[in-house]
């Protein structure tokens, strides 16, 4: 009885803790959405108000000033395109490293990950010059390539982890039946690790959607994604918090809905192989 | 055949990509630019509106690498002479038409946008600084704002007006760290207290008694009579505080004057008074000079069309157009003598004459009492300035919060500036 009571207590404590953590994580998003319905004066008020008379002025101003659908379309094309492109390279890479490792595989994986540790601004001028000479500035293709390359290390790492969970014997059996590497990947590896691939893809889409540095630097108007849309509503002179919040809410809404709709898949994929 | 070819080619459109900031005057320009497109059916305008720091980063990268992404860029007094000297911008004085009347543009601004006699940008709007005060509170306290206040006057008035019990504070000043935030104001204070950023040999001067006096005065003023949380207040926050009647006085950009006088957004529109920026021991550099100007990058593929647009957006005719569309109070201020000769403008903007006088009094070529090797009033026109200015701004904000003393802040500012100077070869 005492044991079950303490178990119950621990469960309650964990539940409360989980709610607190969830609240802390979600609070900035919640406050941003709330601010988007405030007037500019209310938004900058020194005493923050939870209850206020809501207005759509922020959204109206954003709609008048910029073409949301143009930016959203660019974000959609770039994030989906970069994910597909990255998967095309990451799947064979992760396959070879998971099933035909060499003594340099681990080092290669760590080196790939280490490229994420470099501040992107360090490569800014060289990337900009390459893009200029290749005619890729302000193109969706250019941004898509950069996003794919930026996310490639994480995607390879995740896929490598998932592929390692697939029993080697299954692939060996297929090989004995005469399957080549492409057939192994297509007919066995992909179906067996589909939850992992889907969650990796979702994560890659989210990362590409939220990417700001290259999006802001390499595009001007034609290929500018939602990161540029948000950046146009901040101002050094004049009030802008409500408009900026409205623009940010509009920018994150699609990805927030995607994350919400696919959270089951996402969690399943991320915890794939975590407990044996 | 030629008619068919002309049909295809004569109507081919040139697309100009214009990078600008998200300020009210620029939004009006974007809206009214449809008229330019109607007058020039062969030119289409593509707008890139961005936050100031992002815009600066993007346009700097593009100009430096000759990327050719922008045909018109919006820049300030920090970029115009440096970029021009480096050949990143087209000189404009020979490209502008006779009817543009360049001599009508205020001289301090032309000086600030030039290098070695070449004009690299033309101003869209310009600003200096003013002292804003509450006439009703002054009257109630039996105070009179002099024609030219001093910082001692400001301290005396702030003490008399300060009433935290009623949520009214003697004086509001910028405290948010940044080279364009607290350092813009503090540099004008240091200038008028007799200080300077560098001596003639490019040695930083933060360890001088003038800087110490100015910064101690600033910190004491805000500690005793400033609103809580001043260290996070920039232009926008103080504007809101003043509009809501929380500040007895506020020393900041002239561009705030129209917002404070607008009864639709300001609760103190009927009681706001204007005076020049305060002085201490010298009038040199007491009021700042800032402008947003339009320039054409040397890498623009449509330079002729770009110059046409720049000329249109900064012309007398454009100012008339804004006046017709939105009223005289909304015209971009501070750029042309002719604007200040318009009786309708002077009648609609009671602060106009004072703004004009403040801009004309600012001298970016001789900003301090002692001679200096740099130009710029509230900024030092060198590429390293944003780095140095932001670091010093952080240290002075820390002194304002009380994390370090004023002496410690200035000592560290001296050391940090010397280090950056060495690294970025300032003065060489």
């Amino acid at each position: 009885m005492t044991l079950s009571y303490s178990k119950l207590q621990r469960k309650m404590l964990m539940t409360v803790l989980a709610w607190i953590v969830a609240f802390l994580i979600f609070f900035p998003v919640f406050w941003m959405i709330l601010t988007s319905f405030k007037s500019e004066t209310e938004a900058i008020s020194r005493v923050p108000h939870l209850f206020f008379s809501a207005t759509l002025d922020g959204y109206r101003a954003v709609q008048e000033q910029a073409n949301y659908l143009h930016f959203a379309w660019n974000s959609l094309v770039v994030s989906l395109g970069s994910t597909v492109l990255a998967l095309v390279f990451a799947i064979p890479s992760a396959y070879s490293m998971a099933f035909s490792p060499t003594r340099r595989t681990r080092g290669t994986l760590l080196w790939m990950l280490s490229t994420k540790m470099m501040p992107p601004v360090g490569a800014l001028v060289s990337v900009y010059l390459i893009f200029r000479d290749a005619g890729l500035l302000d193109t969706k293709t250019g941004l898509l390539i950069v996003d794919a390359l930026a996310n490639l290390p994480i995607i390879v790492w995740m896929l490598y982890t998932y592929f390692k969970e697939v029993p080697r014997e299954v692939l060996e059996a297929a090989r004995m039946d005469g399957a080549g590497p492409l057939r192994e990947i297509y007919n066995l590896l992909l179906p067996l690790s589909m939850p992992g691939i889907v969650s990796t893809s979702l994560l890659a889409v989210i990362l590409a959607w939220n990417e700001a540095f290259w999006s802001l630097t390499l595009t001007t108007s034609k290929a500018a994604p939602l990161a540029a849309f948000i950046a146009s509503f901040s101002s050094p002179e004049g009030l802008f918090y409500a408009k900026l919040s409205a623009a940010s809410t509009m920018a994150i809404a699609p990805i927030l809905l995607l994350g919400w709709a696919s959270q089951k898949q996402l969690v399943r994929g991320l915890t794939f192989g975590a407990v044996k | 055949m030629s008619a068919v070819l002309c049909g295809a080619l004569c109507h081919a459109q040139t697309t100009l990509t214009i990078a600008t900031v998200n300020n009210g005057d620029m939004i009006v320009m974007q809206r009214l630019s449809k008229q330019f497109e109607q007058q020039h059916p062969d030119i289409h305008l593509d707008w890139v509106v961005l936050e100031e720091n992002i815009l600066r980063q993007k346009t700097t990268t593009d100009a430096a690498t000759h990327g050719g992404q922008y045909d018109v860029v919006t820049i300030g007094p920090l970029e115009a002479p440096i970029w021009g000297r480096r050949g990143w911008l087209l000189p404009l004085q020979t490209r502008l038409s006779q009817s543009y009347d360049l001599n009508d543009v205020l001289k301090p601004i032309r000086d600030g946008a030039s290098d070695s006699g070449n004009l690299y940008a033309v101003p869209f709007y310009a600003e200096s600084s003013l002292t804003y005060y509450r006439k009703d509170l002054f009257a109630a306290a039996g105070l009179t704002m002099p024609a030219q206040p001093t910082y001692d006057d400001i301290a005396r008035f702030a003490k008399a007006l300060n009433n935290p019990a009623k949520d009214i504070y003697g004086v509001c000043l910028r405290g948010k760290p940044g080279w364009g935030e607290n350092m813009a104001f503090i540099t004008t204070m240091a200038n008028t207290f007799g200080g300077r950023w560098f001596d003639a040999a490019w040695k930083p001067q933060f360890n001088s008694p003038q800087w110490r006096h100015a910064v101690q005065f600033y910190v004491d003023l805000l500690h005793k009579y400033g609103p809580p949380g001043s260290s996070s207040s920039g232009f926008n926050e103080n504007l809101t505080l003043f509009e809501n009647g929380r500040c007895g006085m506020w020393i900041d950009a002239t561009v705030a004057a129209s917002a404070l006088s607008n009864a639709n957004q300001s609760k103190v529109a009927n009681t706001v008074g204007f005076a020049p920026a305060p002085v201490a021991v010298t009038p040199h550099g007491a009021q700042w000079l800032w402008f947003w100007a339009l320039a054409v990058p040397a890498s623009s593929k449509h330079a002729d069309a770009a110059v046409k647009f720049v000329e249109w957006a900064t012309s007398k005719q454009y100012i008339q157009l804004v006046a017709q569309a939105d009223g005289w109070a909304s015209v971009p201020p501070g750029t042309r003598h002719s604007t200040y000769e318009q009786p309708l403008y002077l009648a609609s903007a009671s602060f106009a004459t004072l703004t004009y006088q403040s801009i004309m009094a600012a001298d970016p070529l001789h900003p301090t009492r002692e001679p200096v090797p740099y130009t710029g009033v509230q900024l030092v026109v060198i590429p390293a300035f944003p780095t140095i200015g932001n670091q010093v701004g952080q240290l002075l904000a820390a002194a304002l919060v009380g994390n370090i003393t004023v002496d410690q802040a200035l000592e560290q500012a001296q050391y940090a500036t010397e280090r950056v100077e060495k690294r970025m070869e300032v003065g060489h």
Side-chain angles (χ1 to χ4, degrees):
Chain A
M1 184 69 190
T2 318
L3 191 69
S4 74
Y5 179 72
S6 86
K7 258 186 180 174
L8 188 73
Q9 242 183 347
R10 200 187 311 161
K11 203 175 170 187
M12 275 177 67
L13 187 72
M14 293 308 282
T15 309
V16 170
L17 268 175
W19 273 103
I20 290 171
V21 170
F23 177 75
L24 285 175
I25 292 170
F26 184 68
F27 184 77
V29 178
F30 166 72
W31 197 253
M32 179 188 74
I33 296 169
L34 207 66
T35 307
S36 72
F37 292 104
K38 291 180 177 177
S39 65
E40 289 294 359
T41 321
E42 186 81 50
I44 204 172
S45 164
R46 287 205 167 233
V47 186
H49 296 141
L50 201 57
F51 300 101
F52 54 90
S53 88
T55 171
L56 289 172
D57 285 355
Y59 288 91
R60 213 168 286 130
V62 168
Q63 280 295 86
E64 279 169 13
Q65 211 175 310
N67 183 357
Y68 169 76
L69 289 177
H70 166 73
F71 292 97
W73 173 248
N74 288 343
S75 277
L76 190 71
V77 172
V78 169
S79 47
L80 291 180
S82 67
T83 302
V84 171
L85 184 65
L87 284 174
V88 166
F89 287 97
I91 289 172
S93 310
Y95 163 78
S96 67
M97 285 194 266
F99 298 108
S100 313
T102 66
R103 62 194 170 91
R104 290 202 176 85
T105 297
R106 194 156 184 81
T108 309
L109 276 166
L110 283 171
W111 170 77
M112 285 179 75
L113 205 62
S114 72
T115 59
K116 291 295 289 176
M117 294 167 197
M118 188 182 84
V121 73
L124 172 62
V125 174
S126 46
V127 170
Y128 202 89
L129 288 172
I130 293 168
F131 268 55
R132 182 196 67 181
D133 295 344
L136 288 172
L137 286 172
D138 200 23
T139 62
K140 288 195 273 287
T141 314
L143 191 57
L144 186 151
I145 292 169
V146 164
D147 280 355
L149 290 173
N151 291 337
L152 201 56
I154 290 173
I155 295 176
V156 170
W157 257 94
M158 286 183 74
L159 290 180
Y160 170 79
T161 317
Y162 297 133
F163 290 174
K164 288 283 275 183
E165 296 299 320
V166 176
R168 178 184 285 268
E169 295 75 21
V170 177
L171 297 187
E172 279 171 358
R175 216 167 292 153
M176 286 175 74
D177 287 342
L182 277 178
R183 210 174 170 80
E184 272 179 41
I185 293 174
Y186 187 75
N187 285 353
L188 289 167
L189 194 58
L190 294 190
L192 283 171
S193 42
M194 193 47 83
I197 293 170
V198 170
S199 64
T200 306
S201 307
L202 284 170
L203 195 71
V205 168
I206 292 168
L207 287 174
W209 188 278
N210 292 335
E211 200 286 321
F213 181 79
W214 294 113
S215 304
L216 286 170
T217 312
L218 299 174
T219 67
T220 49
S221 56
K222 288 194 270 302
L226 285 164
F229 171 77
I230 295 173
S232 63
F233 289 98
S234 176
S235 170
E237 287 178 354
L239 304 180
F240 62 88
Y241 285 3
K243 285 194 279 288
L244 183 64
S245 300
S248 304
T249 305
M250 288 165 78
I252 64 159
I255 207 73
L256 208 64
L257 291 173
L258 176 74
W260 197 15
S262 60
Q263 58 176 310
K264 211 170 172 181
Q265 192 68 39
L266 206 59
V267 173
R268 200 177 139 204
L270 290 172
T271 53
F272 181 70
V275 181
K276 283 193 175 176
Chain B
M1 182 64 182
S2 62
V4 172
L5 270 175
C6 189
L9 295 174
C10 295
H11 290 91
Q13 274 204 327
T14 299
T15 298
L16 293 182
T17 305
I18 302 163
T20 194
V21 285
N22 180 31
N23 285 0
D25 287 305
M26 275 67 172
I27 303 301
V28 173
M29 169 168 64
Q30 197 179 347
R31 174 161 51 85
L32 295 178
S33 66
K34 297 210 170 28
Q35 299 227 6
F36 175 83
E37 288 177 307
Q38 280 165 11
Q39 289 164 15
H40 302 85
D42 54 333
I43 300 176
H44 169 70
L45 305 177
D46 226 351
W47 291 88
V48 180
V49 183
L50 288 168
E51 189 272 329
E52 183 180 340
N53 293 321
I54 296 171
L55 177 94
R56 194 168 278 125
Q57 185 214 312
K58 284 185 68 151
T59 51
T60 306
T61 307
D62 195 66
T65 58
H66 293 270
Q69 287 295 288
Y70 304 103
D71 299 295
V72 177
V73 288
T74 308
I75 54 176
L78 185 61
E79 292 90 8
I82 298 173
W83 291 17
R85 200 180 310 143
R86 292 183 174 183
W88 298 353
L89 300 173
L90 291 182
L92 292 175
Q93 72 272 24
T94 52
R95 288 181 168 82
L96 297 167
S97 65
Q98 285 291 321
S99 61
Y100 183 74
D101 194 4
L102 196 54
N103 287 329
D104 188 43
V105 176
L106 306 193
K107 187 175 177 300
I109 299 163
R110 272 186 285 144
D111 287 344
S114 301
D115 182 71
S116 307
N118 281 320
L119 179 73
Y120 289 105
V122 280
F124 181 71
Y125 82 75
E127 65 181 35
S128 184
S129 49
L130 289 178
T131 303
Y132 301 102
Y133 66 100
R134 290 272 303 279
K135 288 193 280 192
D136 55 335
L137 297 180
F138 265 64
L143 303 172
T144 308
M145 178 63 85
Q148 174 57 71
T150 65
Y151 272 99
D152 286 334
D153 290 332
I154 296 296
R156 188 163 50 85
F157 296 154
K159 186 180 180 185
L161 300 174
N162 197 45
N163 191 351
K166 286 192 173 174
D167 211 11
I168 294 172
Y169 299 91
V171 64
C172 296
L173 299 171
R174 293 186 184 192
K176 190 191 270 185
W179 69 268
E181 286 282 5
N182 62 346
M183 290 317 296
F185 173 73
I186 295 172
T187 301
T188 58
M189 256 190 105
N191 290 342
T192 191
F193 274 77
R196 51 188 172 163
W197 271 78
F198 299 98
D199 69 7
W202 284 102
K203 188 170 168 40
Q205 297 294 299
F206 294 106
N207 50 12
S208 65
Q210 291 88 351
W211 265 94
R212 199 195 169 281
H213 190 186
V215 176
Q216 193 64 59
F217 198 100
Y218 162 80
V219 168
D220 289 346
L221 203 57
L222 279 178
H223 276 176
K224 289 179 189 163
Y225 317 120
S230 286
S231 61
S232 57
S233 289
F235 174 87
N236 286 329
E237 290 78 8
N238 282 328
L239 176 69
T240 310
L241 282 173
F242 199 96
E243 281 176 347
N244 286 294
R246 304 275 160 76
C247 308
M249 291 176 292
W250 177 34
I251 305 158
D252 214 300
T254 52
V255 77
S258 61
L260 295 179
S261 311
N262 181 351
N264 291 329
Q265 70 177 86
S266 170
K267 290 177 185 164
V268 295
N270 297 324
T271 61
V272 60
F274 311 100
V279 296
V281 298
T282 171
H284 282 285
Q287 59 280 89
W288 72 60
L289 179 71
W290 177 263
F291 56 78
W292 281 117
L294 301 180
V296 180
S299 56
S300 166
K301 295 175 189 87
H302 312 291
D304 290 339
V307 172
K308 269 186 200 166
F309 175 77
V310 165
E311 194 169 327
W312 174 83
T314 59
S315 64
K316 290 179 199 171
Q317 290 74 20
Y318 175 78
I319 290 170
Q320 295 275 350
L321 183 66
V322 178
Q324 280 165 18
D326 295 356
W328 273 101
S330 304
V331 304
T335 57
R336 286 179 169 274
H337 291 290
S338 53
T339 306
Y340 294 90
E341 288 160 4
Q342 288 287 342
L344 286 171
Y345 181 53
L346 298 178
S348 67
S350 55
F351 47 84
T353 308
L354 209 50
T355 300
Y356 177 74
Q357 287 166 351
S358 296
I359 292 174
M360 290 305 286
D363 184 356
L365 304 182
H366 306 95
T368 53
R369 186 175 60 176
E370 305 293 328
V372 286
Y374 59 85
T375 60
V377 181
Q378 79 286 12
L379 50 92
V380 179
V381 181
I382 51 171
F385 185 69
T387 312
I388 299 172
N390 287 339
Q391 283 191 20
V392 177
Q394 292 281 359
L395 290 165
L396 300 190
L400 181 62
V401 173
N403 291 343
I404 52 175
T405 65
V406 167
D407 285 339
Q408 286 170 334
L410 291 173
E411 195 184 315
Q412 289 177 32
Q414 179 79 11
Y415 176 65
T417 308
E418 281 170 355
R419 273 186 57 183
V420 176
E421 215 183 355
K422 212 170 172 181
R423 200 176 73 225
M424 299 181 78
E425 297 183 330
V426 172
H428 297 288

